[in-house]
Amino acid sequence: IKENHGQCITEMALCPFEGGEAFMATIGANQVMIYDLEVRGNFISTLLNYRNWDLQTMRSKNVVWKENRENNHPEKLEKKTFSCVCWMKRWRDFYIVAADNEQQIHLISLTYAKCEQIIKVDNNVVEICAHPKHPNVLIAIDVTNKCRFINITTEEIIYTLPDKISQITFGPSGDKFCAVLTNGNIREYTQKVEIVDNESDDEDLKDDEDEDMNKNKNRNKNRNSNRNVNVNAKKPKS
């Protein structure tokens, strides 16, 4: 395959969740491409394109505004370029999560084919992954090697690892994870997770049982799918 915007593919991610195995995301420059790998005919089909660009590039439906194209603004393009991508499971949806060079994390809905949320962070993010057990939690590693657990529904940082991390991966159970430190060591962490019930959340969940739910209720379901999660990680004794 070749991306339709002529830029190098810098990272790709297959959807790891049940029901989304056919989808693949790639990033190149300021664009995210989503592909369907299991269309009829056994070929790869472009499903969705997301472009991180705030200048109007079309004067009309058929007339291109060439002065505003990316190749005429290389410095701006560098800031809009995506550095990493991953998938998150939502209720009746999948999110494609991509971080750019403007200290932002974009959450793109596959179902609604648009960016649902942009999370501001302190530094540019270079690695991201979804928590395997808690769908609301996103793990982000920035250029200063801080590894943070972010609740995407509240945009709250619920935990920051005390070590400088370059990479992180979870075990099959999701209860433990290993991190590669900047000094070359590999460290295993265990998690202590506290889930706080919210009475108002329970009432919202009852309202969301209708099969013919509209988009606003879908967002509420996503917001409350995990309730409030607090994560604490500790290193094992040596």
Side-chain angles (χ1 to χ4, degrees), residues 151-212:
N151 185 341
I152 64 170
T153 59
T154 62
E155 301 186 11
E156 176 189 2
I157 298 173
I158 56 180
Y159 188 73
T160 301
L161 287 179
D163 301 306
K164 289 187 175 295
I165 308 298
S166 60
Q167 287 187 333
I168 186 173
T169 185
F170 282 83
S173 68
D175 295 324
K176 295 182 179 181
F177 59 90
C178 289
V180 179
L181 279 58
T182 54
N183 62 7
N185 293 334
I186 298 177
R187 182 164 287 166
E188 182 186 68
Y189 298 81
T190 58
Q191 299 175 91
K192 179 182 179 182
V193 179
E194 297 177 0
I195 299 179
V196 182
D197 288 321
N198 189 320
E199 293 181 359
S200 61
D201 291 349
D202 294 336
E203 294 177 0
D204 291 340
L205 287 172
K206 293 178 181 178
D207 296 335
D208 290 343
E209 292 298 325
D210 189 353
E211 288 294 329
D212 197 19

